[in-house]
């Protein structure tokens, strides 16, 4: 990649076939994917319920993918130990869901997982400014969390740009992840704005084969760098 920056595509498990999750994980690995984005919903923080630690534990047994675990859960500090034990590599909690965000992130780090924080579309970046040095990743939600297949909220692009500037100014190495309504049409703009990790659910799983879809996403991301001459 011309800029030397690695772009990661993280397919969202929410759009995978839940009847054959193990096979889906294997297919992703065979297709060259490195990450799986695991959406955990509690029916309280978001109006939907998905999967919990036992499923993560089961998938872990047969997968070498990087388990990027997005906890859309109220008071996530109650569950970070369980997800770390189940095999999550990264645990992402919502800033809106926990009062003691710094403590929760420090706990995730102590457990040997990578700490990350997600921000709902309306939540200001100021929530995480002072945490940046200790965060592996910040997740910019570009839809209101709870469901796959929603439309990208346009102001998220400006938010990514501002976060990129904030991270650079802090001299931090924090990754920027974007989740919600990510498609081949907007992927170049997202990377151009500063995104490192692109989550894609419906726009990925509905268009097999996975290796070709993965290649297409990455090609579009890389092409934008080439146009910029970087
Ligand atoms: C939404 C979830 C997303 C979702 C993305 O609440 O956090 O990860 O699965 O799905 P798409 O890519 O279809 O918007
Ligand atoms: Zn998600």
């Amino acid at each position: 990649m011309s800029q030397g920056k690695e772009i990661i595509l993280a397919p969202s498990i929410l759009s995978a076939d839940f009847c054959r999750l193990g096979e889906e994980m294997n297919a992703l690995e065979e297709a060259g994917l490195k990450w799986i984005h695991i959406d955990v919903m509690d029916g309280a923080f978001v109006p939907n319920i998905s999967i919990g630690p036992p499923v993560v534990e089961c998938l872990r047994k047969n997968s070498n993918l990087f388990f990027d675990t997005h906890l859309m859960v109220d008071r996530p500090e109650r569950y970070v130990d369980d997800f770390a034990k189940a095999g999550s590599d990264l645990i992402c909690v919502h800033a809106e869901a926990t009062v003691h965000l710094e403590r929760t992130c420090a706990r995730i780090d102590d457990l040997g997982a990578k700490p990350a924080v997600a921000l709902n579309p309306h939540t200001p970046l100021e929530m995480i400014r002072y945490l940046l040095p200790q965060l592996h990743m910040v997740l910019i939600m570009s839809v209101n969390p709870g469901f796959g297949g929603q439309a990208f909220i346009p102001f998220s692009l400006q938010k990514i740009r501002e976060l990129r500037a904030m991270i650079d100014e802090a001299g931090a190495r924090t990754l920027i992840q974007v989740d919600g309504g990510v498609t081949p049409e907007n992927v170049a703009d997202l990377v151009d704005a500063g995104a490192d990790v692109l989550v894609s659910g419906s726009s990925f799983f509905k268009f097999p084969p996975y290796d070709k879809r993965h290649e297409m996403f990455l090609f579009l991301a890389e092409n934008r760098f080439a146009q910029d001459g970087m």
Side-chain angles (χ1 to χ4, degrees), residues 95-106:
E96 306 86 2
T98 180
V99 174
H100 302 289
L101 187 57
E102 195 281 336
R103 177 188 286 157
T104 305
C105 292

Side-chain angles (χ1 to χ4, degrees), residues 12 14 37-41 70 72 139 141 145 177 179-180 199:
S12 160
L14 219 51
H37 180 82
I38 302 178
D39 285 302
V40 176
M41 302 178 172
H70 178 195
M72 286 164 276
L139 165 47
M141 284 305 304
Q177 183 177 54
D179 183 9
V199 175

